[in-house]
């Protein structure tokens, strides 16, 4: 029988149920208690095996039919039926141990081979190895301690295979004949280098998914603890594992002191106090985000010493001091190598733009063809290169040319974004989360006039009346035909500071849309606002669709400012805050408070993968002082101020659920006669149309999972690990909102289902919706500039004459130059990538976590099949000519919420977690 069948086998509990500690909700799931004694078996020495095909099957397994469970159960029954040895006898059981190879492990192995030529080799090697001890689920009644095996030493350096991704070994444990069932393994690494322990399988039946680095004993003297893949609620924990269950998350919590070092696996909370560099220059200083003045979600603590000029901060990361994340959260070698390849390619692509912009001062775009040349390679291959061979030309294209973004394939009708495309992208672009229904006209501000001055809108009925197809403004409001992108209150508090920066000029924009009879949105008015009392400028001006040449170009400039506002809010609020930053506290608390045996930890495990590492990389290069976001977006050094304000005044976890978010924005109304109980006010809203089936698929899967383990409210309320996890998320991870009344309660299975569905939704579908289209939808800067450098010209401005002579040149000079553009494209291209080893929603490479709960695995199989059905439905919608927001001439299909994808910037695919 294959390992896959063993992993997917029927419940081990049914075959031989041990006596669990009887907590308040102890449920005996089988009528007869079983106990086994493990027989003497097999091996006398460590052996190496390389069953690659078998291992490959196990690693790639995602779902399996129910039939595999029965065969696995029969095998375990045969094992249990073996005649036990005498009570006083010692028996030997065999474990298959898989270690994933890495470069530094292979280097140590080479050193060991060299030592064979020295007399001290045998003595040196005898003192090294992986020391393992098997722990029973039972307690020795004489000692009142868990039954344990004798130490087994795995000398993996002797037999490790160079160049192989992993090596499999056989190891024996000597135990008493009445040992009972194996429940945990402790490991001490006596080598000088860390080792990646992938998994351990005892007798082919008891699976321990480790997937963790084991540090050398001189780095961390504490024994690493790995539990079998059996799910245990706290009160079901076998007596022999109770103390180890408490010890494992205690190790992850650490002591909350000292600087974290590479190799630590300690999860702790801290504020964002490492974004600035006050020792460098005064301009590089940044406030601490995550306190009373600047609320912010908490991040992982690094404990680095404070810089000289700011004792409350941590020293920023340097090229020689990477940001700490717990060791198990670091990218695996394959993904890190792929990321490095993309970064190297990005640096290469920016060499010539840097030279042209910063050295020869020729980086300004003079005409539209200068921008499009970025995608055809002509920017980098001027006339003197035309005579070179085809090979060199191909090399330049591969290393310097950017791929043409989806958004301009067949849709490049000129300069800026077309009106209908602006409306379409608010529903089916990279930021479909900001559009709201307009409930009052003119729109109102919530800003305090005593601080920010009068904030009454300049919009009037006459501005939009002619665009309403004969309707009055009141009727358009009553029939719910008016919608708005409102960035007024987001930007106004920071505009003076933003516009005081070099080469930064921004407005706070409001854009009014009218819902046409075709189901598309048409922009009918744009309001541009500046802070009250802004020198030499009207604080507010309104532009409407053009009627002549002058108004045409001013309208294009206004739309460019709208898209710049939208780019900033998308990147800072919808993307960074609502997914990356707000999910990290849930992940940290899960590792600190939930045992790896806990069913909720096992459910969330794939949805937490790589998030802490990608967030750490963001603090190194994206959201830090002078980082890419500050450099390439209009907000500049005020980026994190905007994030903090949005978190303080607007973010609510209870409103992150898709149905509630749609209702809050006025895009949907409760209606039980409609699919999913919601009536969409814009029927052709691709983000909502594709998102709702995925939301309810996740909810159904989570409901099945939760109700399987939690039968009533009392079970949820009495689960101390679960309650402590949720409490720490609120009171520590989101401490600035700990007094908020909107936090969902965690008292019933329904509460837990809602919380987990929301969390999984954010980490998978929501993040994919706002991330993987960044290059395909935003990779053409004239249509979606991340920053603007000039305000609209006024007739009495000296530059007005330049605008009249060359409006296209004026517009181009308002946007990023060549080097700024290629830097921006490099980053969004990397962020839009899927890597080879990605695991998508509905996939799990290792289902052994539920090997003893076949009902759960079968439910996951149904969940996976439902996601495939949803993909087929999305494909059908993308071909429906009646759905004009996703189908039509030059319109790319909306595929961002299709779960599967290949590698690359595919503009589709929903990974399980926020992994890039």
């Amino acid at each position: 029988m294959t390992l896959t069948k063993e992993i997917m086998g029927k419940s081990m509990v049914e075959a031989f149920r041990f006596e669990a500690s009887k907590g308040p909700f102890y449920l005996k799931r089988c009528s007869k208690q079983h106990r086994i004694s493990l027989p003497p078996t097999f091996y006398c020495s460590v052996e190496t095996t390389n069953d690659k095909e078998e291992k490959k099957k196990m690693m790639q397994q995602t779902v399996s039919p129910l039939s595999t469970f029965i065969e696995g159960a029969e095998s375990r029954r045969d094992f249990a039926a073996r005649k036990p040895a005498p009570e006083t006898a010692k028996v030997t059981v065999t474990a298959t141990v898989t270690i994933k190879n890495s470069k530094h492990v292979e280097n140590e192995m080479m050193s060991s081979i060299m030592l064979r030529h020295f007399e001290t080799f045998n003595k040196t090697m005898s003192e090294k190895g992986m020391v393992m001890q098997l722990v029973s689920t039972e307690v020795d009644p004489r000692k009142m301690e868990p039954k344990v095996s004798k130490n087994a030493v795995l000398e993996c350096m002797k037999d490790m295979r160079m160049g192989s991704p992993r090596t499999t070994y056989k190891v024996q444990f000597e135990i008493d004949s009445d040992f009972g069932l194996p429940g945990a393994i402790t490991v001490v690494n006596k080598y000088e280098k860390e080792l990646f322990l992938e998994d351990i399988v005892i007798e082919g039946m008891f699976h321990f998914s480790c997937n963790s680095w084991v540090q050398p004993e001189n780095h961390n003297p504490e024994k690493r603890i790995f539990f079998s893949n059996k799910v245990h609620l706290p009160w079901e924990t076998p007596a022999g594992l109770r103390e180890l269950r408490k010890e494992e998350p205690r190790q992850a919590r650490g002591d909350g002191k000292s600087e974290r070092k590479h190799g630590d696996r300690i999860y702790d909370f801290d504020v964002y106090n490492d974004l600035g560099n006050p020792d460098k220059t005064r301009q590089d200083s940044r406030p601490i985000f995550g306190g009373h003045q600047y609320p912010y979600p908490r991040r992982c603590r690094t404990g680095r010493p404070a810089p000289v000029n700011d004792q409350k901060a941590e020293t920023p990361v340097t090229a020689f001091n990477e940001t700490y994340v717990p060791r198990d959260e670091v990218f695996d070698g394959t993904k890190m190598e792929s990321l490095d390849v993309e970064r190297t390619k990005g640096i290469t692509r920016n060499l010539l733009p840097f030279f042209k912009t910063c050295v020869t001062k020729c980086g300004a775009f003079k005409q539209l063809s200068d921008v499009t040349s970025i995608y055809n390679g002509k920017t980098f291959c001027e006339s003197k290169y035309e005579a070179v061979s085809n090979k060199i030309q191909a090399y330049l294209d591969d290393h310097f040319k950017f791929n043409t973004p989806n958004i301009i394939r067949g849709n490049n009708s000129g300069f800026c974004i077309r009106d209908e495309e602006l409306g379409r992208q608010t529903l089916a672009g990279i930021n479909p989360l900001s559009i709201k229904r307009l409930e009052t006209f003119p729109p109102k501000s919530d800003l305090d006039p005593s601080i920010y001055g009068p904030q009454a809108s300049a919009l009037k009925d006459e501005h939009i009346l002619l665009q309403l197809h004969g309707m009055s403004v009141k009727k358009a409001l009553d029939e719910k035909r008016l919608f708005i992108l409102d960035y007024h209150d987001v930007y106004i508090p920071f505009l003076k500071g933003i516009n005081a920066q070099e080469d930064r000029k921004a407005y706070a924009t409001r854009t009014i849309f009218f819902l046409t009879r075709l189901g598309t949105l048409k922009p009918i008015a744009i309001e541009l606002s500046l802070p009250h009392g802004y020198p030499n400028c009207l604080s507010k001006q309104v532009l409407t669709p053009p009627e002549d040449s002058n108004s045409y170009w001013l309208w294009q400039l206004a739309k460019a400012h709208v898209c710049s506002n939208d780019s900033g809010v998308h990147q800072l609020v919808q993307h960074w805050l609502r997914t990356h930053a707000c999910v990290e506290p849930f992940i940290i608390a899960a590792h600190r408070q939930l045992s790896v045996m806990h069913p909720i930890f096992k459910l969330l495990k794939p949805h937490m993968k790589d998030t802490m590492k990608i967030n750490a990389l963001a603090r190194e290069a994206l959201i830090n002082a002078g980082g890419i976001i500050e450099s390439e977006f209009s907000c500049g050094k005020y980026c994190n101020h905007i994030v903090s304000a949005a978190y303080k005044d607007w973010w609510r976890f209870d409103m992150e659920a898709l149905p509630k978010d749609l209702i809050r924005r006025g895009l949907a109304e409760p209606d039980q006669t409609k699919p999913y109980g919601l009536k969409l006010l814009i029927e052709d809203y691709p983000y909502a149309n594709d998102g709702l089936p995925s939301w309810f698929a996740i909810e159904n899967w989570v409901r099945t999972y939760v109700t399987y383990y939690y039968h009533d409210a009392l079970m949820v309320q009495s689960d101390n690990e679960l309650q402590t996890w949720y409490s720490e998320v609120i009171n520590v991870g989101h401490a600035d909102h700990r007094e908020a009344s909107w936090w969902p309660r965690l008292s019933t299975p329904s509460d837990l289902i809602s919380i987990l569905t929301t969390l999984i939704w954010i980490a998978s579908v929501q993040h994919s919706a706002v991330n993987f289209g960044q290059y395909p939808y935003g990779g053409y800067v004239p249509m979606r500039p991340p920053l603007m450098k000039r305000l609209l010209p006024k007739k009495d401005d000296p530059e007005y004459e330049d605008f009249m002579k060359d409006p296209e040149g004026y517009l181009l000079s308002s946007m990023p130059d060549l080097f700024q553009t290629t830097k921006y494209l490099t980053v969004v291209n990397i962020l839009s990538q899927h890597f080879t080893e990605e695991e998508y929603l509905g996939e799990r490479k290792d289902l052994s976590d539920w090997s003893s709960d076949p009902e759960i695995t079968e439910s996951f199989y149904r969940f996976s099949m439902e996601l495939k059905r949803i993909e087929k439905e999305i494909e059908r919608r993308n071909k429906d000519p009646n759905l004009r927001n996703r189908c039509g001439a030059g319109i790319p299909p909306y595929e961002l919420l299709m779960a599967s994808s290949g590698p690359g910037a595919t503009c589709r695919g929903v990974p399980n977690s926020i992994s890039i």
Side-chain angles (χ1 to χ4, degrees), residues 178-240:
D178 64 347
F179 182 80
L181 297 178
I185 293 176
T186 62
V187 179
V188 176
N189 181 9
K190 297 285 187 178
Y191 290 111
E192 295 178 0
K193 298 290 184 181
E194 62 183 1
L195 294 169
F196 190 88
L197 189 55
E198 199 165 72
D199 63 22
I200 304 171
V201 180
I202 307 294
E203 294 282 299
M205 296 181 218
F206 306 97
H207 194 183
F208 298 74
S209 292
C210 307
N211 290 314
S212 182
W213 291 95
V214 182
Q215 297 302 315
E217 186 180 28
N218 58 11
H219 176 88
N220 183 7
E222 293 183 311
K223 293 181 180 180
R224 282 300 307 272
I225 304 165
F226 299 104
F227 295 98
S228 72
N229 285 359
K230 179 71 177 71
V231 175
H232 291 295
L233 287 161
W235 53 85
E236 291 181 333
T237 309

Side-chain angles (χ1 to χ4, degrees), residues 270-288:
D270 204 351
V271 295
Y272 280 73
N273 61 357
D274 61 344
L275 301 179
N277 190 356
D279 287 347
K280 185 178 179 181
T281 67
R282 185 175 180 180
Q283 288 70 29
D284 288 299
S285 180
R286 294 292 181 272
I288 292 174

Side-chain angles (χ1 to χ4, degrees), residues 414-468:
F415 206 125
C416 287
I417 192 168
R418 300 197 311 264
D419 288 3
E420 60 270 26
E421 184 62 17
L422 177 60
R424 193 189 72 81
Q425 284 204 36
T426 64
L427 302 173
I430 192 55
N431 180 21
L433 306 179
S434 292
I435 188 71
K436 298 186 296 185
R437 181 167 66 86
L438 185 62
E439 298 183 3
T440 60
F441 186 87
K444 296 180 180 179
S445 170
D446 292 327
L447 296 176
D448 186 345
S450 67
I451 299 174
Y452 301 105
Q455 295 299 319
S457 173
L459 285 159
K460 311 248 180 235
D461 285 12
E462 53 264 30
H463 288 130
I464 66 172
L465 198 57
L466 295 178
Q467 306 292 330
L468 300 183

Side-chain angles (χ1 to χ4, degrees), residues 607 690-699 701 760-761 764-765 840-843 860-874 897-900 908 910-912:
H607 305 293
D690 297 356
L692 284 168
S694 296
W695 166 270
F696 284 99
I698 295 171
E699 185 180 58
W701 152 238
I760 293 172
W761 162 263
S764 57
V765 187
Y840 297 95
L841 191 65
E843 295 180 352
F860 185 80
Y861 175 76
R862 292 193 297 270
F863 171 56
S864 180
M865 292 300 100
E866 175 63 11
L867 291 175
K868 294 185 185 301
R869 186 199 66 78
I870 292 170
E871 283 197 21
K872 295 294 183 183
E873 177 63 20
I874 293 173
L897 303 191
M898 297 179 77
S900 65
R908 61 176 288 169
V910 179
N912 275 321

Side-chain angles (χ1 to χ4, degrees), residues 580-781:
H580 286 262
C582 285
V583 165
E584 185 164 353
F586 288 88
I587 298 172
I588 298 172
H591 286 279
R592 288 168 54 85
Q593 303 300 341
L594 295 177
S595 166
V596 295
M597 295 190 289
H598 199 287
I600 302 307
F601 186 91
K602 290 182 180 293
L603 174 68
L604 292 178
K605 184 168 64 172
H607 305 293
M608 301 187 291
K609 185 177 184 291
D610 291 343
T611 303
M612 292 179 66
K613 177 61 179 179
I614 200 64
N615 284 5
L617 292 175
R619 303 206 312 274
E620 289 181 25
L622 295 180
I623 66 168
N624 60 313
I628 297 297
I629 303 299
E630 287 196 1
S631 300
E632 305 306 320
F633 287 80
S634 289
C635 307
K637 68 178 183 180
Y638 295 93
C639 285
N640 279 294
H641 294 74
I642 288 176
V643 176
S644 175
Y647 180 67
K648 174 179 179 290
D649 298 328
W650 183 82
W651 182 83
R652 291 175 49 163
F653 179 73
D654 63 326
M655 290 296 170
E656 291 298 286
L658 176 61
K660 291 185 178 180
D661 174 64
L662 293 172
I663 292 171
R664 174 169 70 164
R665 291 191 283 124
L667 273 297
E669 297 173 339
D671 186 342
Q672 294 305 314
T673 67
K674 299 292 184 180
Y676 312 113
L678 287 176
K679 175 186 176 182
L680 292 177
L681 298 186
I682 302 176
E683 292 183 4
D684 182 16
Y685 183 6
Y687 165 75
N689 295 136
D690 297 356
L692 284 168
S694 296
W695 166 270
F696 284 99
I698 295 171
E699 185 180 58
N700 288 336
W701 152 238
V702 173
R703 178 180 292 107
T704 300
Y705 190 91
V706 168
T707 54
Y708 180 81
Y709 293 105
Y710 296 90
H711 308 300
D712 54 41
L714 190 57
M715 294 182 74
V716 173
Q717 295 165 18
S718 299
D719 187 335
N720 62 303
E721 289 185 13
L722 184 68
Q723 294 294 334
T724 305
W725 165 69
Y726 190 56
S727 176
E728 187 168 82
V729 167
I730 296 171
N731 293 296
V732 184
H734 287 279
D736 299 312
H737 283 307
R738 60 180 175 269
E739 301 298 333
S741 60
W742 45 254
W743 281 104
R745 296 186 62 185
L746 181 51
S747 300
T748 67
S750 294
D751 296 338
L752 182 57
I753 292 165
S754 176
I755 291 166
L756 295 176
T757 301
T758 301
L759 190 54
I760 293 172
W761 162 263
I762 296 170
S764 57
V765 187
Q766 182 84 318
H767 176 258
S768 296
V770 297
N771 183 75
F772 292 106
Q774 288 189 78
Y775 185 84
Y777 284 105
Y780 186 59
V781 166

Side-chain angles (χ1 to χ4, degrees), residues 12-209:
M12 181 174 66
V13 177
E14 293 181 13
F16 32 72
R17 174 67 173 174
F18 52 78
E19 184 70 31
S21 57
K22 296 184 178 180
F25 317 108
Y26 174 72
L27 299 173
K28 189 182 293 185
R29 295 182 184 171
C30 49
S31 58
K32 184 177 179 181
Q33 296 290 322
H34 295 272
R35 179 181 174 186
I36 67 166
S37 298
L38 300 179
T41 50
F42 309 124
Y43 300 95
C44 298
S45 62
V46 175
E47 296 185 9
T48 306
T49 63
N50 280 281
D51 191 352
K52 294 182 180 178
E53 290 301 315
E54 192 74 12
K55 196 66 185 173
K56 185 177 179 181
K57 288 180 183 179
M58 185 182 74
M59 294 299 295
Q60 293 179 343
Q61 180 70 19
T62 57
V63 294
S64 174
L66 187 59
S67 59
T68 60
F69 294 105
I70 300 171
E71 196 171 343
E74 290 173 351
S75 174
R76 291 191 176 93
R77 289 194 184 99
D78 292 342
F79 182 84
R82 295 179 188 177
K83 185 178 179 180
E87 285 293 323
T88 57
K90 297 290 184 181
V91 297
T92 301
V93 295
T94 303
T96 303
V97 180
T98 303
I99 291 181
K100 193 172 182 179
N101 299 343
S102 62
K103 290 181 180 179
H104 65 257
V105 172
E106 290 189 350
N107 291 338
E108 180 163 330
M109 185 179 75
M110 289 295 297
S111 300
S112 299
I113 292 172
M114 294 175 63
L115 285 173
R116 292 179 188 271
H117 300 287
F118 296 91
E119 295 180 358
T120 59
F121 173 75
N122 290 332
K123 179 180 178 182
T124 302
M125 290 305 297
S126 66
E127 296 172 352
K128 293 187 175 183
M130 295 272 283
V131 181
M132 302 180 176
Q133 192 172 45
L134 196 60
V135 182
S136 172
T137 58
E138 299 180 4
V139 171
D140 187 333
R142 296 164 297 179
K143 300 179 181 178
M144 295 308 295
E145 295 178 352
K147 297 176 182 178
V148 295
S149 71
K150 287 189 176 180
N151 286 344
V153 180
L154 170 59
E155 297 180 4
C156 55
M157 293 299 176
K158 287 184 178 181
D159 300 298
M160 185 174 292
R161 302 214 170 208
M162 298 273 303
S164 174
R166 54 184 53 82
T167 308
T168 305
Y169 305 89
K170 298 291 185 181
V171 178
Q172 298 140 347
F173 292 99
E174 184 178 302
I175 59 175
D176 292 335
S177 57
D178 64 347
F179 182 80
L181 297 178
I185 293 176
T186 62
V187 179
V188 176
N189 181 9
K190 297 285 187 178
Y191 290 111
E192 295 178 0
K193 298 290 184 181
E194 62 183 1
L195 294 169
F196 190 88
L197 189 55
E198 199 165 72
D199 63 22
I200 304 171
V201 180
I202 307 294
E203 294 282 299
M205 296 181 218
F206 306 97
H207 194 183
F208 298 74
S209 292

